[in-house]
Amino acid sequence: GIAEVKCFLNGIDLPNVTAPLTLVAKVLGVIGSVSAGLPVGKEGPMVHSGAVVATTLASGNTRNDKEVRDLVACGAAAGVCTAFSAPIGGILFALEEGASYWKPSLTWRTFFCSMVAFASLLMLNTLGAQFGKLGYNKLFSFGNFAWAGASTSYAMYELFIFVLLGAVGGLMGAIFNHTNEAITKWRLKHVNHSKVRRLTEVLCLSVLVSVTMFVI
């Protein structure tokens, strides 16, 4: 979903990328894949879903493509915000990773949209608890800094281990990106042009993941 939204924000008019049926398929797909235990996240689909909701609600009330693009940017920011509980992160995503054209007024619009989405998320998290209660994962939270059995959460020598973990993580990320690019090029050449092959690919991956996680 993130790739499609970035393409749309940068002037590539993909067919049905903001259509309501796309939202339905995205939501059902996420529910099914996450429930099945597949190694996929909800972050990308939530970004795409936010963009579709924004354009659908404003359908017929936009005067030009620039307004539609701004709405997609606001919806994408709200999607990132709800996925990671980070309103500022949503704005930065739309500003740095999404749109190639930005105006100062759009900053405040995306900020307002992200804050409304974040407040709605935290309000939903208070269901079953006392409304307005402060604390971790409640309506207002400053993070979870609790630990037990020690005066500090880490020792100084462990900082070097953290640096090493960061370096290893960066190397693994580079390897993952290279492998993902190679697989994507192979899929574009051998899989994407056939609906039967795409369905077979999904079924094979689902069976492989289920056997690996639940049987082995």
Side-chain angles (χ1 to χ4, degrees), residues 151-185:
S151 58
T152 58
S153 57
Y154 61 89
M156 288 299 297
Y157 72 89
E158 293 177 330
L159 293 177
F160 298 101
I161 300 177
F162 298 157
V163 172
L164 179 61
L165 287 175
V168 173
L171 179 61
M172 293 178 63
I175 295 174
F176 173 81
N177 289 336
H178 177 74
T179 306
N180 186 41
E181 181 181 2
I183 293 176
T184 301
K185 290 180 179 179

Side-chain angles (χ1 to χ4, degrees), residues 44-124:
M46 289 188 70
V47 173
H48 195 176
S49 299
V52 176
V53 169
T55 53
T56 302
L57 292 179
S59 179
N61 297 318
T62 53
R63 294 171 294 181
N64 48 53
D65 291 337
K66 291 175 59 178
E67 293 185 355
V68 175
R69 181 190 60 201
D70 292 346
L71 287 169
V72 170
C74 292
V80 173
C81 169
T82 52
F84 297 101
S85 298
I88 303 301
I91 301 171
L92 293 178
F93 168 82
L95 174 61
E96 297 179 359
E97 300 291 337
S100 58
Y101 173 79
W102 197 267
K103 54 186 178 181
S105 61
L106 188 56
T107 303
W108 294 106
R109 292 172 183 173
T110 54
F111 177 74
F112 178 79
C113 188
S114 297
M115 290 305 301
V116 170
F118 187 55
S120 301
L121 175 65
L122 292 182
M123 284 184 174
L124 291 175

